[in-house]
């Protein structure tokens, strides 16, 4: 009986993880993410790499949610640098055992007036 209780608790925990993506920080909410280049008067800050998913639970999350998770992470990192614009590269999906488990969104953070 104890094993089934543990299995049920684990299933509930994984379904909770699978249904959510990380929130944007207050600064990350202000960062515009786009594949388009920024305006000419923007200052380049640095490259950032946002990550979503992982080897534990990532296979239970839809690809779109993994990408959102990674984009949120990248926007939060851009905000930490003082940026308000993120020029993104196409998302990359990673696999383990034939199942998508991670997403990576990289890009360049800019400070625009």
């Amino acid at each position: 009986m104890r094993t089934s209780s543990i299995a049920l608790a684990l299933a509930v925990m994984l379904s909770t993880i699978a249904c959510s993506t990380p929130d944007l920080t207050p600064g990350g909410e202000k960062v515009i993410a786009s594949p388009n280049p920024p305006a000419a008067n923007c200052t380049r800050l640095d490259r950032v790499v946002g990550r979503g998913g992982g080897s534990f639970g990532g296979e239970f999350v839809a690809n779109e949610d993994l990408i959102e998770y990674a984009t949120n992470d990248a926007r939060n990192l851009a905000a930490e640098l003082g940026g308000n614009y993120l020029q993104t590269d196409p998302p990359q999906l990673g696999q383990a055992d034939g199942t998508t488990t991670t997403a990576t969104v990289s890009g360049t953070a800019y400070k625009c007036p």
Side-chain angles (χ1 to χ4, degrees):
M1 296 301 263
R2 181 164 166 78
T3 303
S4 61
S5 297
I6 292 171
L8 177 61
L10 183 59
V12 169
M13 182 181 76
L14 288 176
S15 68
T16 301
I17 291 170
C19 294
S20 66
T21 56
D23 291 328
L24 290 166
T25 62
E29 289 178 350
K30 297 175 184 172
V31 175
I32 297 168
S34 173
N36 299 320
N41 59 347
C42 296
T43 303
R44 182 186 189 281
L45 300 174
D46 204 357
R47 295 279 299 163
V48 297
V49 178
R51 293 176 176 84
S55 57
F56 180 73
E59 67 270 19
F60 299 107
V61 181
N63 291 352
E64 295 80 14
D65 291 337
L66 289 172
I67 292 168
E68 181 181 353
Y69 181 152
T71 302
N72 287 353
D73 189 33
R75 288 174 66 190
N76 291 339
L77 292 170
E80 288 175 17
L81 294 172
N84 58 4
Y85 188 86
L86 177 66
Q87 182 181 7
T88 58
D89 301 325
Q92 302 294 311
L93 297 173
Q95 295 187 355
D97 298 323
T99 303
T100 300
T101 58
T102 62
T104 304
V105 173
S106 59
T108 304
Y110 291 87
K111 176 70 175 172
C112 300

